[in-house]
Amino acid sequence: MDSVVLTSGSVENDLQALERLKRIRASLDTLESAHRSYILRGNTAHLRQAREELGEAGVALRELEKFAGTVLDVQRLREFGELTGAAGERYGKIEEIHGARGEAAALKEVRSNTNARLLDRMYEQLSSMTKAGETALLQRTAQVRENFGVSKASTYVASGFNIALLCFVFYLVYREVRERKQAEDALRFFATHDPLTGLPNRLLFSERFEGAITQAKVAQERLAVLFIDLDRFKNINDTLGHEAGDRLLKEVGARLAACTSGTAMVARQGGDEFVVLMGKLGSLKSVNVICERILAEVTRPMSLEGGELHVTASIGISVFPVHGEDSQTLLKHADIAMYRAKELGKNTYQFYTKHINEHSFERLELESALRHALSRDELSLHYQPKADPRTGKIVGLEALLRWKHPEFGAVPPDKIIPLAEETGLIVGIGDWAIRTACMHRRAWQDIGLPPLRVAVNLSARQFVQ
């Protein structure tokens, strides 16, 4: 094999090329987050965000063309570029369906297997390129060390008469090799760890998760994965800024690592999401103990921006092999359970069940339908009389919201109000309720009925506005 000479310039190119891959991975993480947000909220702004992130990935790919001769494979880059283009067309099609046929049809297209497989292929291709790049760089580094060994021997023979010069050459070689080793270690850490928190990243967690499942199958053991999401983290970012949000994430990452030390693996999944892998479970009681410990640690006050900040977290749990036998299924079910924990009031944990999965899809469909309930005239007000206990006369009315959906039928108020509160639809519904109650009261007066006081309930969110 021909020897390879690795200059400082080529090392810099290699590291810059891998830095572009890091930017692409960050864009994919944001893309996946926008994908999930669209499913939950049905806002086409999240589709546009997904396309913008794909554009960012495309820019990074074009920048990689400047580094010809680096450790990256040109053919794989082209294949990834084709996947990026296909994903852009895919989200463009979903946005077009949303505009032409409505949100329900678009959500059906989003949840299709084609879109999920495309995202998985993009992650797999990016991971493959990163691994191949690391391997190639390590091989170059090993060749350089071998070349340095030959150079040292030659220098010794040629300069035996000058011990001082020989020692100086040895020192230079030692320093160069040490710097190469440090760069190699930094590169390996960069590829497998989150740069903000220092925790294992999605790639390393996925590899260890797969390995843990394989071992659990052989030993016939159980393991659990915890999906952790900070409650109302977006409010902190919007109020205090992203720099404060980053400091908060670092502190939360450190607390999670400390309270699970020696018992589990903690990784950052992306954004404000963390995952914990617990292996060799004797009983589910140990999972409860870890969850209680995590919630207690996260809720401890944090010093931020010159004051105290209190945050909470919601945790979803899935168990191998009860809730799935592969990493993707287990993570998906833990994610679903986490959203159920948020629905139950946040700052709690929830194990995955089949009922939760059914509830999750039912809730998505219900939320999508509620967004159109006003325009389709599906909401109505019923009036409950208020009587004077002394005279028995009716002295007022209370307006009660009702929703009759053509497919779901009469939807109970305890489902309408919490869903409207969480999605922000409660403000528009509240405005409609006040306006409709006033119109009804005026109509009653016009036909000669005595004036009555009508009470309309307001949400706290609407009261603030």
Side-chain angles (χ1 to χ4, degrees), residues 125-409:
Q125 187 74 340
L126 188 60
S127 299
S128 176
M129 286 193 293
T130 304
K131 287 182 181 178
E134 290 180 55
T135 302
L137 186 56
L138 292 177
Q139 289 173 349
R140 288 189 182 185
T141 306
Q143 184 64 51
V144 168
R145 289 178 179 170
E146 182 179 339
N147 291 341
F148 276 130
V150 174
S151 299
K152 287 189 288 184
S154 301
T155 303
Y156 182 83
V157 173
S159 308
F161 65 92
N162 194 332
I163 301 299
L165 179 60
L166 179 62
C167 291
F168 180 66
V169 171
F170 271 130
Y171 167 72
L172 291 179
V173 172
Y174 165 76
R175 187 178 68 177
E176 184 73 12
V177 172
R178 183 185 62 186
E179 290 175 354
R180 301 293 185 194
K181 180 65 169 58
Q182 290 174 345
E184 175 188 324
D185 293 341
L187 180 62
R188 184 181 293 109
F189 185 87
F190 160 79
T192 58
H193 288 75
D194 173 53
L196 178 64
T197 63
L199 294 173
N201 61 13
R202 181 198 297 264
L203 174 63
L204 181 58
F205 180 82
S206 178
E207 291 177 353
R208 293 190 180 177
F209 196 4
E210 293 290 351
I213 290 176
T214 301
Q215 293 178 4
K217 287 180 179 178
V218 174
Q220 295 185 343
E221 296 174 336
R222 293 187 297 180
L223 58 83
V225 59
L226 282 57
F227 202 107
I228 306 168
D229 185 89
L230 300 183
D231 299 325
R232 304 181 184 89
F233 177 73
K234 185 179 183 301
N235 293 344
I236 296 173
N237 262 348
D238 293 344
T239 304
L240 302 180
H242 289 278
E243 185 177 347
D246 286 348
R247 289 202 296 272
L248 172 65
L249 290 174
K250 288 177 66 175
E251 175 64 22
V252 170
R255 293 188 181 188
L256 292 177
C259 70
T260 59
S261 177
T263 60
M265 174 189 179
V266 184
R268 185 184 177 200
Q269 187 78 350
D272 61 334
E273 298 172 342
F274 298 85
V275 283
V276 177
L277 177 61
M278 299 179 61
K280 299 181 180 180
L281 292 181
S283 68
L284 294 182
K285 183 178 179 180
S286 59
V287 179
N288 295 332
V289 171
I290 286 292
C291 289
E292 295 288 352
R293 190 182 303 167
I294 288 173
L295 294 178
E297 279 295 309
V298 171
T299 54
R300 281 197 300 111
M302 299 183 189
S303 297
L304 199 65
E305 297 296 322
E308 277 192 353
L309 185 65
H310 297 264
V311 295
T312 59
S314 299
I315 306 174
I317 310 155
S318 64
V319 179
F320 169 87
V322 180
H323 303 139
E325 297 190 357
D326 61 85
S327 60
Q328 289 188 356
T329 301
L330 289 167
L331 273 174
K332 180 180 73 173
H333 287 169
D335 191 10
I336 291 173
M338 180 272 293
Y339 276 103
R340 180 57 175 164
K342 284 185 177 294
E343 292 176 10
L344 294 176
K346 304 180 177 61
N347 194 28
T348 187
Y349 59 91
Q350 183 75 32
F351 283 87
Y352 173 82
T353 64
K354 183 180 179 181
H355 169 72
I356 289 178
N357 197 18
E358 294 171 351
H359 173 83
S360 179
F361 282 111
E362 177 189 340
R363 185 184 181 282
L364 283 174
E365 293 178 352
L366 199 63
E367 178 182 333
S368 177
L370 183 58
R371 293 180 183 277
H372 304 289
L374 276 177
S375 61
R376 294 172 180 170
D377 199 25
E378 294 172 358
L379 299 180
S380 62
L381 291 181
H382 289 197
Y383 294 93
Q384 178 173 287
K386 295 182 177 181
D388 186 333
R390 294 171 298 180
T391 64
K393 292 183 178 181
I394 295 177
V395 293
L397 300 170
E398 180 182 1
L400 303 176
L401 181 67
R402 294 294 181 264
W403 177 21
K404 188 173 183 180
H405 188 270
E407 181 181 348
F408 304 136

Side-chain angles (χ1 to χ4, degrees), residues 30-44:
T30 308
L31 161 65
E32 188 175 24
S33 177
H35 175 94
R36 186 186 298 123
S37 297
Y38 175 72
I39 292 177
L40 290 173
R41 296 175 177 84
N43 190 337
T44 54

Side-chain angles (χ1 to χ4, degrees), residues 65-81:
E65 296 176 1
K66 303 175 184 177
F67 302 101
T70 64
V71 291
L72 300 180
D73 183 85
V74 176
Q75 181 60 32
R76 290 184 178 180
L77 285 173
R78 289 174 180 169
E79 292 173 358
F80 186 81

Side-chain angles (χ1 to χ4, degrees), residues 87-112:
E89 294 176 2
R90 180 76 175 164
Y91 283 101
K93 178 182 177 183
I94 293 169
E95 191 170 359
E96 181 180 339
I97 292 174
H98 187 112
R101 294 159 49 196
E103 183 180 340
L107 285 174
K108 184 177 180 180
E109 182 70 19
V110 168
R111 292 198 292 264
S112 69

